[in-house]
Amino acid sequence: MIINNLYPDGTSRWWTGDTYHQYEDVLSETAGQYGFTGFKPDSYYLGWIKKENLPVIALHSSCTVDDTVYTFVEDTDEDNFPVGYVYSNTNRNFMQNGEMIKNDDDTYSTQYSGLCYINQWYPEYSAYYTSSNASNIQIYCYAYISDAGGNFVTRTSFSHSNMTGLNSSDVRSCYNFLHYDVPITVDFGSQYGTLEFLSSDLDEGTFYKETSNGYFARVFLISYIVPSQVYIKHATDSLVRITQFEPFSSITYGGKTGSYSKTLLYGFGGYSGYARRNYQNNFSWLFVNNTSYGQKQGDLLVGMQGTIDISLLNSLHPYMWDGNVLAEWRQYSGSLFEVDFYCIMTRQDIRKSFSMHFRVDLANYTKGYVNGVTYATDVTAQDEFLARLKTGDLINPEFKNSLRPWQYENFQENDFTEEDVPPYEPEPEPGGDTPSEEPEDMPHDEGDPAGLQDRTIPAPSLFITQYALTYEDVQAVGANLWQSWLTPSTDVWKNFFLPYSQDFGTLNIGAALDCIISLRAYPFDIPLDVLLPAANGVRMGTGHTDFLGYATAKVNASTCKIPLGDCVVKPKTPYEDFRDMYNTSVSCFLPYCGTVELNPPEVMNRTLHCYYCIDFQSGGCTAFITLDGDEGEYIIASKSGQIGFLLPITATNAGQLAAQKGQDAVETIGTLAGFFFDVAGELAQSSENAIKALAGIESGKSDKDSVPIGTTLTSSLKIGESGVNTGLALANQALKRLSRSGVGVPAISGGSGIEAIYAPDTAVISIRRGKYAKPINYPHSQAHLNGSSGQIGTFKGDWGKYTPKTGKGLCKFTGVDTTGLKCHDDERAEIVALLESGVYI
Amino acid sequence: MTINFYTVEDDPRTVEKSLGNSIHSPDANIFGSCSVKNPVLILAYDSILLSANYFEIPDWHRFYFMGEPTLSPGGRCVVQGRVDVLMSNKDDILKLDAYCSRCESKFERYAVDSAPLSLVTTTVTNLQFSNHPFSAPGTLRQYLLTVKGGSL
C-alpha cells in the first residue's frame, strides 16, 4: 500500500507540518493559507494515492490564490468514487449537489470546481465545519505525512477559515457530499465496554452547524443501554464529548416530536460546545510495512476502526496480508487502545484472517474487544467480502459496526482472470460518424416514465392501533394478558368477567382479547419514519390498561416503502458484442414475492433500483424494479407477495390462517391449472368441473374424506373458515396429480405461510450468459464489428492491451474514397484491396 | 541518390511501419531502365544487406519490400524490390474517408457479429442490490400488533 505522496512520476512530495514544499505549480504562499494554481491532470498535491485508474487526492483546504478553477480527473468510470474536487475559495460550486460535473457526452468534466473528496486510503481524513459565527465556516482536514523514504513522520492538519456566505443548509449538503464519517465513541461503562462507529453507520445521523457558537452534532442511536458518555472525534484527534444529552422528547426528528422511554429507546444529541477531552498523549504509529503494493483485480481495501486490545492488535498482524497494513493505535487507557487499521486483502484473506482470529480470541477479551464487527459466515458467496464478526451479546448486535470496512461499496467484481480476457473497459469513442452508444431503437425511455409515487395512506389510527413491538414486547404483552390475572386482587372478579371496569378504568382480559385483531412478524425493522411514540404502552379498545408496562412505538401509516438500493447490470461478454443482449437472460429474485424476468436490452449496463411497498394492513408487499429515465425513475417490473407473517394468537387468527393457507394452496394449484377464483374466493363456474376432475371428484359426487357424501361442488362453494377442510382436501387431491415441483408451496413465491421465512431474503439479479470459446488472439486476428464511417486514421485506438508487441491494430474498410491519394493507378487499386482485406494501423 | 535499408518486423499489411534506424544507406545511380514500382538494384556487396528486408528510396518517395538478394560476380549484390503502397502513401491513406467494417479496438458493442465462435458453456452471474433490509424477525421492532381502538 502506498502511503502518501507517490506521484505518477514516482517522486515524493511532502507536506510537513504547516509548511509545504515549493512545487512547480505553486505560485504563492501566504501565511495561514496555501495557494495553488495550475493544477494539472498529472499533478497532485498534499499526497496522492493511485489505485488502479482511480487517482484520488487529499487536497489542502485552502487552495486558491485566484479564482482559477482547478481540475483533475482521470477516472471516468462512474462506478468509482468521485475523485477530486478542488475547492475554489470564491467559486462555491461545491455547495451544489456535490456530484461530478458531467459533460454532455457523459464523460466527466476535466474542469470543475468543488470541494475535495479525500481518498479512501487515508485512515482518517476528516473535514468538517465549525463556526465561530453564523457566517464563518472553517474546514479542517488532515493527512498523513511521510518522509521521502515513505516512513511515517506525522499527521498534519490544515484549516481554512473565513468561508463566508454559507449557511447551515450549505454546510449540510457539503457535509453529506464529503461522506464525512464522524467517528463516534459511545461508552457504555465498564460492564459493556465502548462502542465506536462512524456517523455514516447510523440509520439517521446528521451533523449540521448551529447558528450559535459551536456546532450541533445530532446522533440517533437506539440502545437498550443508556450510555454514560459519548464522544465525537475532533479532527485534531481530540475527543469532543457530548455534554448534553437530549432525549427524544425534546428533539424534532423527521418532523415528529415525542418522547421515548429511556429504558428501551434512547436517543441523544448534544452540543459539542467547548468541552473537549484529549486522549492520553500516547500516540504510536505502527507501521507494519509501507512499501508500495501492486494492486490486482479482486483486491479490496479493507479499513476498519474500532477499539481493541493492543495484544489482540499485535496478534492480528500475522493474519494480515504481509506488508500491506497501516495501523494506527492510540492508547486510551491501560491496555485499551483505539485502533484504525487499513490493509489490502483478498476476499479469502478477509474471511481467513478476521473470522479465524476474531471469532476465537475475542471471547477472551471482556473489554476493549472489537465491537460490532460481524463476520460473513457464507463462505461461498463471492460477493460477501465484508468481514463482519458478531461479538458477544453484550451490546445490541444491531448496532452498526464499530469496525467498519471502508469504501467497499460499488466494488465491481470481475470474474475473468487476467489470462482470460482483457479487463473490461468503457467503450471508447468510435471514430468519425459514429453510432450512438445505445442505438435509438432501444426501448429505454419511450413514453412517459411511470415511477413509484411518493405517498402513503395514513393508518386509521382512531379505529385501530398498530403497535410496533420487539419480540420481548410481544412476550410482555402476552404475559400481561395471560398471567397477570393470577395476581391476587380483591376485584379480580370484576377484572375477569366484566368487559370494562369503570371503577378502575381498566380493560379486563376477556375484552382485551376481543380487541386483538392480529399479530404479524415482518422480516425488517419497521422504518422510523412511520413510527410514532406510544408513550402509554400497549392499550386496547377504550381501556386505559397498559398491557406492556412501558412506552413503545406505533405505526402511523398503513404503508411504507423500503428501498433495496441499486444494482448495476454490467455487460460482461468479453468480446462485448450483441451477446450481452440476445444470448443472455436476466432475472431478478425478489424475496417473498418470487422471480421476474427482465429484458436484457432494457437493463444491460443500466442501474436498477428496487423498492418494496409494504401494506401493513394485510402484510402484503409488492416489489418494484425501476430504471432511471430522463424524467425520473420508471417501473419495469413488479411482483406481489406476502411479507408480513401472521402469527395466530387468537382462535380467530388460527382459523383465518388455516383458511388462508388452504386458499393459497388451492389458488396456487388453480393458477397453474388455469383456474381462477372470483373476489369472494368462489370457484368460477367454468373452473368447477375442471377442479373436480383434478381432484378426482366426479361431477355430482364428492371427496369422501372432506365433504359429506352427496354434496355437490358448485360455484357457490366458498373456501372460508367453515370450508377449510374442503379446500385443503381439494388441494391435497390435486397435489397428487401434479408433478411440478413447487406446487402448493406458497412460501417460496409468497403466501401467508410462516414457513416463508426460510426463503431467501436477499434480492438477487441473475444473469445467464453464454461463455464463449476464446479464439487465440481474436481481436487481433478477427477484429470486432464497427459499423461507422470516418477518416481511416481516426480508428486508431489504444492498442496496448491487444497488441502489445506492435502497438497497431487490425482494421478493415470498405467504401474507401480514394480522393487524396496521389499515387499511380495500379497502386491505388492495391491500396484499396489492402484496406478491404485488412490493415494494421 | 541514397537508398536506405531497414530491417522491418511489422506485418506487410501495416500502414505505418516502424522503421527504426537505417542499417545501410549506400548511394546509387540509375543506369538504363529501372521500374519505379519494382526496381532492381545492383549494389556493392555488403553483408549487412543480407539482413535487410525493406528499403526506401527517398527521392522517389517510396518504400519497398525487399526480395532475396542475389550475389553476383564482381562483388555485387542484386536487390529486387516491390513497392509498399501502404507505407509509401501512409499520410494520404490515413486521411481517406471510408466505412470501417471491423476494427480491433473500436466497435459497436451490440451489433450482431457472426465471426466469434459459438457458445461453449453458460455462466451465471448473481448480483445483489446495495441494501439488504430483510432478515428473520429477531429482537428489532418487527412485530405489528393490531388492536381495536387503543389510540390513547
Side-chain angles (χ1 to χ4, degrees):
Chain A
M1 176 166 69
I2 302 172
I3 306 298
N4 280 342
N5 304 10
L6 195 60
Y7 282 71
D9 59 2
T11 61
S12 298
R13 306 182 188 187
W14 308 104
W15 288 86
T16 55
D18 291 334
T19 61
Y20 61 94
H21 294 274
Q22 191 79 24
Y23 300 120
E24 57 188 2
D25 292 319
V26 174
L27 296 186
S28 67
E29 175 184 359
T30 305
Q33 290 188 340
Y34 309 93
F36 306 89
T37 60
F39 258 65
K40 300 175 183 177
D42 290 334
S43 299
Y44 305 93
Y45 293 85
L46 189 64
W48 177 81
I49 293 177
K50 183 172 183 179
K51 174 180 180 293
E52 295 293 334
N53 293 321
L54 182 66
V56 291
I57 188 173
L59 178 69
H60 191 279
S61 59
S62 299
C63 59
T64 60
V65 172
D66 53 29
D67 291 339
T68 302
V69 174
Y70 308 119
T71 73
F72 83 99
V73 66
E74 181 170 332
D75 185 273
T76 59
D77 186 343
E78 62 182 0
D79 292 320
N80 284 304
F81 297 100
V83 291
Y85 286 78
V86 177
Y87 171 69
S88 169
N89 194 30
T90 57
N91 186 340
R92 294 184 172 82
N93 286 340
F94 80 93
M95 291 302 181
Q96 293 174 349
N97 57 12
E99 294 181 352
M100 292 180 67
I101 298 176
K102 270 192 175 183
N103 298 321
D104 292 338
D105 58 357
D106 279 347
T107 58
Y108 287 99
S109 172
T110 58
Q111 290 193 349
Y112 55 87
S113 65
L115 188 63
C116 175
Y117 175 81
I118 190 65
N119 73 82
Q120 65 271 30
W121 287 42
Y122 276 78
E124 286 183 357
Y125 171 82
S126 62
Y128 68 104
Y129 301 89
T130 186
S131 65
S132 57
N133 57 60
S135 61
N136 189 3
I137 306 297
Q138 289 182 319
I139 297 178
Y140 293 91
C141 63
Y142 60 90
Y144 288 125
I145 302 300
S146 307
D147 60 19
N151 299 314
F152 183 87
V153 174
T154 183
R155 181 175 59 193
T156 186
S157 64
F158 314 90
S159 66
H160 171 69
S161 60
N162 301 321
M163 292 171 56
T164 60
L166 302 178
N167 54 46
S168 58
S169 62
D170 290 337
V171 177
R172 193 170 196 162
S173 64
C174 188
Y175 169 82
N176 290 332
F177 157 66
L178 280 176
H179 295 256
Y180 178 38
D181 296 322
V182 179
I184 301 173
T185 301
V186 182
D187 184 356
F188 290 96
S190 59
Q191 180 180 0
Y192 299 105
T194 59
L195 175 69
E196 277 209 358
F197 48 86
L198 300 176
S199 61
S200 61
D201 289 337
L202 300 174
D203 289 329
E204 297 290 341
T206 57
F207 277 70
Y208 57 92
K209 179 185 72 66
E210 266 288 318
T211 56
S212 56
N213 292 338
Y215 67 95
F216 185 84
R218 173 171 291 173
V219 177
F220 289 94
L221 179 68
I222 299 177
S223 166
Y224 288 100
I225 306 166
V226 177
S228 61
Q229 47 193 4
V230 178
Y231 299 95
I232 294 176
K233 186 175 292 183
H234 192 269
T236 58
D237 207 39
S238 61
L239 288 183
V240 177
R241 180 177 177 178
I242 300 295
T243 55
Q244 301 179 26
F245 289 170
E246 298 181 21
F248 274 3
S249 60
S250 65
I251 288 180
T252 299
Y253 169 68
K256 305 174 184 58
T257 57
S259 61
Y260 296 85
S261 166
K262 291 186 179 181
T263 58
L264 273 188
L265 196 67
Y266 195 89
F268 53 85
Y271 287 89
S272 65
Y274 300 99
R276 297 182 176 186
R277 169 182 169 180
N278 291 314
Y279 274 132
Q280 298 178 16
N281 294 322
N282 289 326
F283 290 90
S284 298
W285 303 107
L286 180 61
F287 246 45
V288 176
N289 192 329
N290 66 332
T291 57
S292 62
Y293 165 70
Q295 300 89 343
K296 299 188 293 296
Q297 286 181 331
D299 291 346
L300 297 163
L301 174 66
V302 178
M304 301 185 181
Q305 289 181 323
T307 52
I308 198 169
D309 189 285
I310 183 59
S311 60
L312 177 63
L313 173 65
N314 288 329
S315 63
L316 284 173
H317 293 157
Y319 299 100
M320 298 292 186
W321 197 338
D322 183 39
N324 293 287
V325 173
L326 167 64
E328 167 198 346
W329 49 270
R330 298 170 294 277
Q331 187 175 21
Y332 177 47
S333 63
S335 63
L336 179 62
F337 288 87
E338 185 185 57
V339 64
D340 306 325
F341 59 85
Y342 300 85
C343 58
I344 302 173
M345 308 181 76
T346 64
R347 295 182 185 82
Q348 293 73 20
D349 285 345
I350 291 172
R351 285 193 287 268
K352 171 185 174 183
S353 301
F354 292 102
S355 67
M356 177 174 66
H357 188 89
F358 282 11
R359 292 171 78 186
V360 172
D361 292 351
L362 282 179
N364 296 326
Y365 294 88
T366 58
K367 177 185 294 187
Y369 47 76
V370 177
N371 292 315
V373 177
T374 57
Y375 169 69
T377 57
D378 183 0
V379 295
T380 61
Q382 290 301 311
D383 288 336
E384 187 67 57
F385 52 81
L386 284 179
R388 306 194 307 171
L389 171 67
K390 286 191 175 181
T391 60
D393 54 358
L394 295 181
I395 305 294
N396 186 329
E398 292 306 323
F399 285 154
K400 298 299 182 180
N401 293 339
S402 169
L403 280 195
R404 186 186 71 88
W406 281 61
Q407 306 295 9
Y408 55 86
E409 295 90 350
N410 297 327
F411 182 83
Q412 292 298 316
E413 178 186 357
N414 188 328
D415 56 359
F416 296 114
T417 59
E418 286 187 357
E419 57 272 12
D420 193 9
V421 291
Y424 174 80
E425 289 185 336
E427 180 182 351
E429 289 292 327
D433 185 18
T434 63
S436 61
E437 182 173 338
E438 293 172 348
E440 293 180 356
D441 59 347
M442 287 294 184
H444 282 157
D445 301 316
E446 292 180 349
D448 294 328
L452 291 176
Q453 304 302 310
D454 190 12
R455 57 173 69 132
T456 186
I457 297 177
S461 56
L462 298 183
F463 289 90
I464 63 172
T465 300
Q466 290 181 302
Y467 291 100
L469 306 177
T470 65
Y471 180 71
E472 286 74 17
D473 296 342
V474 172
Q475 296 295 83
V477 172
N480 288 328
L481 281 171
W482 291 107
Q483 298 178 1
S484 63
W485 69 275
L486 295 175
T487 304
S489 168
T490 56
D491 292 294
V492 61
W493 65 275
K494 286 185 180 180
N495 290 335
F496 196 78
F497 294 105
L498 296 181
Y500 184 79
S501 173
Q502 294 183 352
D503 294 340
F504 297 97
T506 58
L507 187 67
N508 72 37
I509 308 303
L513 291 175
D514 288 338
C515 292
I516 295 177
I517 296 176
S518 67
L519 174 67
R520 288 186 186 272
Y522 289 87
F524 55 87
D525 195 13
I526 307 297
L528 289 175
D529 58 356
V530 299
L531 291 179
L532 281 178
N536 297 317
V538 174
R539 294 186 176 184
M540 306 180 189
T542 58
H544 295 274
T545 305
D546 178 3
F547 286 93
L548 178 62
Y550 43 80
T552 181
K554 59 187 178 183
V555 175
N556 71 335
S558 297
T559 61
C560 79
K561 187 168 70 173
I562 296 178
L564 264 64
D566 309 328
C567 181
V568 179
V569 183
K570 278 283 193 180
K572 277 204 176 170
T573 306
Y575 309 109
E576 299 181 347
D577 55 30
F578 70 100
R579 282 164 293 190
D580 275 328
M581 302 294 196
Y582 302 109
N583 276 4
T584 296
S585 67
V586 182
S587 63
C588 181
F589 171 76
L590 299 166
Y592 313 106
C593 295
T595 301
V596 293
E597 293 294 326
L598 303 175
N599 186 16
E602 192 175 16
V603 301
M604 195 59 65
N605 208 26
R606 302 292 294 274
T607 299
L608 304 183
H609 313 287
C610 184
Y611 302 92
Y612 270 65
C613 295
I614 312 298
D615 173 7
F616 287 132
Q617 304 304 328
S618 68
C621 66
T622 299
F624 294 93
I625 297 177
T626 64
L627 279 177
D628 291 325
D630 289 339
E631 299 180 15
E633 295 182 25
Y634 61 98
I635 299 169
I636 62 170
S638 69
K639 196 168 183 68
S640 297
Q642 187 76 14
I643 196 170
F645 306 111
L646 183 65
L647 302 176
I649 56 177
T650 65
T652 304
N653 285 166
Q656 292 171 344
L657 181 62
Q660 183 61 41
K661 287 182 68 66
Q663 179 77 3
D664 286 342
V666 175
E667 285 190 354
T668 300
I669 301 168
T671 301
L672 292 172
F675 307 144
F676 58 93
F677 295 83
D678 57 22
V679 175
E682 300 179 347
L683 282 171
Q685 181 70 42
S686 60
S687 298
E688 170 192 339
N689 292 330
I691 198 168
K692 284 193 292 185
L694 195 62
I697 302 172
E698 296 179 3
S699 175
K701 296 186 179 179
S702 65
D703 184 330
K704 62 181 180 180
D705 293 330
S706 60
V707 179
I709 294 176
T711 302
T712 301
L713 294 176
T714 66
S715 61
S716 63
L717 180 65
K718 299 178 182 179
I719 310 297
E721 187 171 347
S722 59
V724 165
N725 288 336
T726 305
L728 287 176
L730 285 173
N732 289 332
Q733 290 290 339
L735 273 173
K736 299 174 187 177
R737 294 175 176 268
L738 289 173
S739 60
R740 174 171 175 163
S741 63
V743 167
V745 186
I748 300 301
S749 60
S752 60
I754 305 174
E755 67 273 16
I757 199 61
Y758 291 106
D761 60 9
T762 301
V764 175
I765 291 181
S766 294
I767 306 171
R768 288 174 172 76
R769 45 168 70 94
K771 186 175 181 180
Y772 297 88
K774 179 199 173 192
I776 296 176
N777 203 22
Y778 165 74
H780 199 55
S781 61
Q782 299 290 330
H784 303 285
L785 275 183
N786 182 279
S788 62
S789 301
Q791 286 193 350
I792 290 177
T794 61
F795 290 93
K796 290 185 178 182
D798 178 11
W799 306 111
K801 295 190 187 331
Y802 297 92
T803 56
K805 287 185 178 178
T806 65
K808 301 179 179 64
L810 177 66
C811 284
K812 296 184 180 180
F813 300 93
T814 62
V816 180
D817 181 357
T818 59
T819 304
L821 273 179
K822 297 179 283 291
C823 57
H824 300 147
D825 184 58
D826 50 355
E827 290 178 322
R828 184 187 301 265
E830 185 177 355
I831 290 172
V832 172
L834 286 170
L835 291 174
E836 292 179 348
S837 65
V839 296
Y840 293 96
I841 59 172
Chain B
M1 62 185 180
T2 301
I3 301 177
N4 299 319
F5 286 88
Y6 303 93
T7 302
V8 171
E9 297 180 352
D10 285 332
D11 188 281
R13 295 170 291 174
T14 303
V15 173
E16 186 170 2
K17 295 176 174 61
S18 301
L19 300 178
N21 296 323
S22 169
I23 62 174
H24 187 49
S25 298
D27 289 328
N29 293 307
I30 300 176
F31 295 94
S33 302
C34 181
S35 168
V36 173
K37 186 176 178 183
N38 299 292
V40 177
L41 309 176
I42 302 176
L43 304 172
Y45 170 79
D46 189 323
S47 63
I48 200 168
L49 285 173
L50 303 181
S51 58
N53 62 359
Y54 200 80
F55 63 90
E56 175 195 11
I57 302 180
D59 289 356
W60 294 358
H61 306 291
R62 279 174 170 76
F63 294 84
Y64 299 89
F65 297 109
M66 177 175 159
E68 178 190 4
T70 303
L71 304 181
S72 63
R76 296 174 179 176
C77 179
V78 179
V79 172
Q80 292 185 331
R82 177 175 64 83
V83 68
D84 179 3
V85 294
L86 294 177
M87 183 65 172
S88 302
N89 300 277
K90 63 177 175 60
D91 294 333
D92 293 339
I93 290 173
L94 293 178
K95 295 176 183 176
L96 296 180
D97 290 325
Y99 174 83
C100 181
S101 57
R102 303 191 75 87
C103 183
E104 182 165 333
S105 77
K106 296 182 180 180
F107 44 85
E108 177 56 47
R109 175 184 298 157
Y110 302 120
V112 178
D113 188 358
S114 60
L117 297 182
S118 59
L119 172 67
V120 177
T121 60
T122 300
T123 61
V124 178
T125 301
N126 292 321
L127 306 173
Q128 294 184 2
F129 287 90
S130 53
N131 296 340
H132 308 285
F134 301 134
S135 62
T139 56
L140 298 180
R141 206 167 289 276
Q142 292 175 307
Y143 296 83
L144 281 193
L145 176 66
T146 303
V147 302
K148 301 174 186 176
S151 297
L152 297 177

